[in-house]
Amino acid sequence: MSKSSFAEPEQSESPVRSKTHHREVTHPGPLPSLTGLRWVAALLVFCLHTRNLGYFNGQARHFADWGFGAGSTGVSFFFLLSGFVLGWSARSDDRPTAFWRRRFARLYPVHLVTACIAVFVMGMGKPAGSAANLLLVHSWWHPWWQTLDPVSWSLACEAFFYATFPAFALLLRHAGALTATALAGASVLTVLILTRADLHLGVGRTLYSFPAARLPEFVLGVAVARLVLLGRWRGPGLEASVALTIIGYFLVSQVGGSYACVACTLVGFTCLIPAAALADVRGLPSLWRHPALVRLGELSFAFYMVHLLVLRAGQHLFKPSPIGALTAFGVSLALAWLLYEYVEVPARRWLLRPFLRSLRRTPVSR
């Protein structure tokens, strides 16, 4: 399902000073542990889709239900992570148009290419739905939410988040810990209210994919980033946060409804993301910044965008099975590398080059 949110962090162009537990540290931007965790979230979504598409049967199906049934929570992680890294790296002199341009350059080239692949693999579908997909508004109308590349519904949510982010950045730019805490608390409360609506009012899948319903997760990430930058975050360490996340992950099977699972992992993810970021800032041990995981995290957006198309094609090319799932994984990872190296990175450079040139030509006020 996004992830983008699953969006790659925007790194600050100049060091940002932050107080953590009353001790100032300077962070230049890179948070490799979060990049590594992005891969884990993308992998959970992949495993969920292998189960949903029948790649596991018999005893293997029971294991897949137990281990991968909550894989959709990886999308919630993407949404929280997106808010956190944008809040973490926001610059006070950034213009909304510049921000939106960078986000477009980051996400849209891969989306456009995978949409074209989807036409080849799955057909065009209804023209109106396809047009909505290309405009990244298809999640606002439930009949279109999985048009073309089905996982791109989360990009429509991310597009909405990005549209609202400059307003939240302005609100929190000079806000203290009390305002950030109130915003985080309101976000959590909204998720809990929506969870109850999902469970008792039968809102279901529409709520799960509706961008406005997923906004609180993004805003929570932004607010938590502000608390960390203010040195007022008091969450548990990395190991305890991982434990909370695992507990929440396996609680998902105890709730019904597609959106209701968000509440199960909300606490764990809210603790895990800042804990991993602070581990990087302070130089503490972190499994998630292993170079292999960081490299896979760089490929995670392209992997997320292409994997379901590969799994769909695999249903027709070979018999779905655990071996077929491994084959689809290898093909998806190879295609993700190609998309990253030959679409995502060069397209972003090309789209931003005129913008960066104009910045260099603009006189700097002193």
Side-chain angles (χ1 to χ4, degrees):
M1 286 36 198
S2 155
K3 99 311 273 2
S4 139
S5 322
F6 24 33
E8 182 178 334
E10 289 190 17
Q11 309 301 355
S12 297
E13 294 178 356
S14 59
V16 178
R17 299 201 64 82
S18 165
K19 293 181 179 180
T20 54
H21 293 285
H22 306 291
R23 180 168 58 91
E24 284 194 355
V25 296
T26 300
H27 68 79
L31 299 173
S33 291
L34 296 187
T35 304
L37 284 168
R38 279 172 50 211
W39 168 250
V40 178
L43 185 60
L44 286 176
V45 177
F46 172 85
C47 292
L48 171 70
H49 288 153
T50 60
R51 184 207 72 157
N52 290 352
L53 295 178
Y55 278 80
F56 297 95
N57 293 297
Q59 192 62 35
R61 172 73 185 200
H62 294 301
F63 174 81
D65 287 341
W66 174 79
F68 308 147
S72 64
T73 57
V75 180
S76 181
F77 178 84
F78 287 142
F79 291 162
L80 270 160
L81 177 64
S82 181
F84 183 89
V85 296
L86 293 180
W88 175 266
S89 58
R91 302 190 291 269
S92 60
D93 60 346
D94 201 11
R95 293 173 298 172
T97 52
F99 168 76
W100 291 326
R101 182 179 184 132
R102 293 196 305 274
R103 291 292 85 200
F104 178 87
R106 171 67 179 88
L107 297 183
Y108 201 80
V110 172
H111 170 59
L112 182 60
V113 171
T114 51
C116 293
I117 297 172
V119 172
F120 177 77
V121 174
M122 305 174 67
M124 172 63 75
K126 295 181 178 180
S130 298
N133 177 282
L134 294 175
L135 294 172
L136 291 179
V137 295
H138 52 300
S139 283
W140 290 95
W141 179 242
H142 183 62
W144 295 342
W145 80 294
Q146 291 197 321
T147 306
L148 298 182
D149 186 1
V151 300
S152 66
W153 71 265
S154 60
L155 294 193
C157 294
E158 290 282 357
F160 176 60
F161 303 161
Y162 298 157
T164 65
F165 176 73
F168 286 112
L170 181 63
L171 171 66
L172 291 173
R173 185 168 298 157
H174 304 293
L178 184 60
T179 300
T181 301
L183 187 60
S187 300
V188 171
L189 181 61
T190 302
V191 170
L192 295 178
I193 291 172
L194 292 176
T195 297
R196 184 170 181 83
D198 184 48
L199 288 173
H200 299 286
L201 301 180
V203 179
R205 194 174 293 173
T206 302
L207 189 61
Y208 175 79
S209 59
F210 192 58
R214 306 310 297 259
L215 182 63
E217 295 156 79
F218 174 80
V219 175
L220 178 59
V222 175
V224 168
R226 180 61 181 167
L227 287 171
V228 174
L229 289 170
L230 289 170
R232 300 298 295 273
W233 176 253
R234 297 296 181 268
L238 190 53
E239 294 82 0
S241 298
V242 170
L244 284 172
T245 299
I246 293 173
I247 292 170
Y249 181 85
F250 287 105
L251 279 176
V252 170
S253 62
Q254 305 302 312
V255 303
S258 54
Y259 181 87
C261 64
V262 174
C264 296
T265 52
L266 192 67
V267 171
F269 290 159
T270 302
C271 294
L272 177 62
I273 291 171
L278 287 173
D280 287 343
V281 169
R282 297 169 179 165
L284 300 176
S286 171
L287 164 68
W288 313 109
R289 77 167 75 97
H290 188 281
L293 277 177
V294 173
R295 178 55 176 165
L296 289 169
E298 292 172 348
L299 304 179
S300 62
F301 174 58
F303 178 84
Y304 171 83
M305 291 298 293
V306 80
H307 80 274
L308 189 53
L309 301 177
V310 173
L311 289 171
R312 293 280 195 188
Q315 288 181 301
H316 302 287
L317 296 175
F318 47 80
K319 182 180 179 181
S321 65
I323 297 299
L326 288 175
T327 302
F329 173 80
V331 172
S332 298
L333 191 58
L335 289 175
W337 179 82
L338 291 172
L339 283 170
Y340 180 79
E341 293 291 341
Y342 297 103
V343 176
E344 184 176 336
V345 172
R348 182 164 70 236
R349 288 173 179 165
W350 182 78
L351 288 169
L352 293 179
R353 185 176 300 163
F355 170 68
L356 295 175
R357 247 196 327 262
S358 68
L359 281 182
R360 286 194 289 267
R361 287 198 300 264
T362 303
V364 178
S365 300
R366 297 183 181 277

